Each structure stands twice: as structure tokens, then as C-alpha cells.
């Protein structure tokens, strides 16, 4: 039986490193955009069934779909909640259920990727509109004291780490591997 393939509504982002002589903002956003593009690459051609397949017995929520959802909500948390001071809503703030943002059974991968893309575009708009020295505004979270520069560096690390997880999960799901 042939597996249904994911149809991206938009073209996946290009996997391009920022220029060697880029200014600080261009370099930070460029490296983050490249890690985001790698996330897309690791999802290319996966069926929804495979995207939701659990392959790590000790971490059953670490699926391709779960990781994409988590990355979407991490971007929301750092840039909308902590930096802009918007309300702390969403699955990652569920005090009753740990890792709620990974729980996406039945949600198509294409939808998760679209939501992630929308969040990334909003993050880039937020970054473009503020100084890298501006600090977060949410009064209830200690991490909001970080400046935008720190948050971007953290997000490059966070996205790169989870892109590595996606690399391993994808190989375990269907043997897909590679680095461009």
C-alpha cells in the first residue's frame, strides 16, 4: 500500500547560510531561518502516519509531528509571550499535562508545518521591528529579562537541537538521512 505524501501549500524555505560578512541581525535571523528550513527538509515526503509514528520507546511523544508542533509553540513563547508580554496561552502553559505541545495525534503534518511557518514569519516581523538590545516585557517569567539578541541565539540553539532530533527520528521512521 502506498503511503499518502504530504503536500506543502507553500514551497519549503531555502537552506542557505547567511553571508560571511552579514551584520549581526542578518546573521542571527539567517542562521535561524536555515535551521527552520532544515526542519522542513526533514519532513519532506513523510506521510501523516509516519510523521506521527513513535520510534523512541522512552520518549513516545518525540515524533516528527510532535517536534514541529513543539518548535511552533517555542517560537510563540519566546517572542510573543516573553518578549512582547502577550498572555501566556497555549499548550506549553498547561500545568496539568507535561509536554502538551508535543501531543498532536490526528493533526496533519502539512497543517503543523503551515502553523510553524506562520509563527516563524511573525517572529521575523517582531525581530525586524525591535532593537536587539530590547528586553522582554512579560512580568511573570524570569526569562523575559533576556534581550532580543539572547532570545535569537537561544532559538538558533533550540531549533538546531530539535532539527538534530528530527534527523534521528526521520532515519528511524523510514531510513531517510542526509545533510545538505
Amino acid at each position: 500500500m502506498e503511503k499518502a505524501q504530504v503536500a506543502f501549500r507553500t514551497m519549503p524555505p531555502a537552506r542557505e547560510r547567511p553571508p560571511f560578512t552579514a551584520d549581526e541581525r542578518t546573521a542571527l535571523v539567517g542562521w535561524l531561518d536555515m535551521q527552520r528550513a532544515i526542519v522542513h527538509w526533514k519532513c519532506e515526503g513523510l506521510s501523516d502516519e509516519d510523521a506521527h509514528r513513535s520510534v523512541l520507546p522512552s520518549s513516545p511523544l518525540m515524533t516528527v509531528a510532535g517536534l514541529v508542533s513543539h518548535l511552533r509553540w517555542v517560537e510563540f513563547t519566546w517572542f510573543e509571550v516573553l518578549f512582547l508580554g502577550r498572555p501566556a496561552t497555549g499548550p506549553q502553559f498547561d500545568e496539568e499535562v507535561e509536554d502538551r505541545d508535543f501531543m498532536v495525534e490526528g493533526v496533519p503534518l502539512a497543517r503543523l508545518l503551515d502553523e510553524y511557518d506562520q509563527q516563524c514569519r511573525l517572529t521575523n516581523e517582531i525581530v525586524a521591528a525591535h532593537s536587539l538590545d530590547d528586553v522582554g516585557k512579560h512580568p511573570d517569567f524570569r526569562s523575559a529579562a533576556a534581550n532580543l539578541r539572547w532570545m535569537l541565539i537561544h532559538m538558533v540553539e533550540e531549533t538546531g537541537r530539535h532539527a538534530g532530533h528530527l534527523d534521528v527520528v526521520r532515519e528511524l521512521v523510514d531510513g531517510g538521512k542526509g545533510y545538505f
Side-chain angles (χ1 to χ4, degrees):
M1 179 185 292
E2 191 170 318
K3 296 177 184 173
Q5 298 296 307
V6 170
F8 290 103
R9 288 197 290 161
T10 59
M11 290 294 297
R15 294 185 305 270
E16 297 177 7
R17 290 181 174 99
F20 290 132
T21 58
D23 63 85
E24 182 180 23
R25 179 184 302 272
T26 302
L28 289 169
V29 173
W31 280 107
L32 181 53
D33 281 343
M34 190 176 99
Q35 294 306 310
R36 293 166 171 162
I38 290 170
V39 168
H40 270 272
W41 181 44
K42 293 302 170 179
C43 296
E44 285 179 12
L46 272 182
S47 66
D48 283 329
E49 179 184 351
D50 283 343
H52 288 85
R53 183 181 303 162
S54 178
V55 293
L56 300 170
S58 62
S59 299
L61 296 176
M62 191 171 289
T63 63
V64 169
L67 284 161
V68 172
S69 175
H70 171 72
L71 285 167
R72 181 256 197 231
W73 287 106
V74 168
E75 293 242 1
F76 170 81
T77 298
W78 279 100
F79 297 103
E80 288 194 61
V81 175
L82 299 174
F83 185 72
L84 293 180
R86 292 180 178 162
T89 60
Q92 73 285 20
F93 294 104
D94 186 335
E95 294 179 10
E96 302 294 317
V97 181
E98 185 177 7
D99 295 329
R100 170 77 79 190
D101 55 334
F102 282 86
M103 297 178 186
V104 292
E105 190 61 39
V107 181
L109 180 60
R111 177 175 150 199
L112 294 168
L113 286 165
D114 283 345
E115 291 172 357
Y116 179 51
D117 286 346
Q118 291 170 18
Q119 193 66 54
C120 292
R121 281 191 295 277
L122 181 54
T123 293
N124 284 355
E125 290 172 11
I126 292 167
V127 170
H130 293 86
S131 166
L132 296 177
D133 294 321
D134 288 349
V135 297
K137 294 176 177 57
H138 205 290
D140 299 333
F141 298 97
R142 188 175 70 86
S143 298
N147 65 26
L148 184 56
R149 175 183 297 102
W150 190 99
M151 290 182 187
L152 279 167
I153 292 168
H154 171 65
M155 196 54 53
V156 170
E157 174 272 329
E158 175 92 7
T159 307
R161 181 167 34 93
H162 289 310
H165 291 141
L166 282 166
D167 193 41
V168 172
V169 171
R170 176 67 190 256
E171 186 171 351
L172 291 170
V173 164
D174 71 354
K177 58 183 180 177
Y179 187 79
F180 70 101

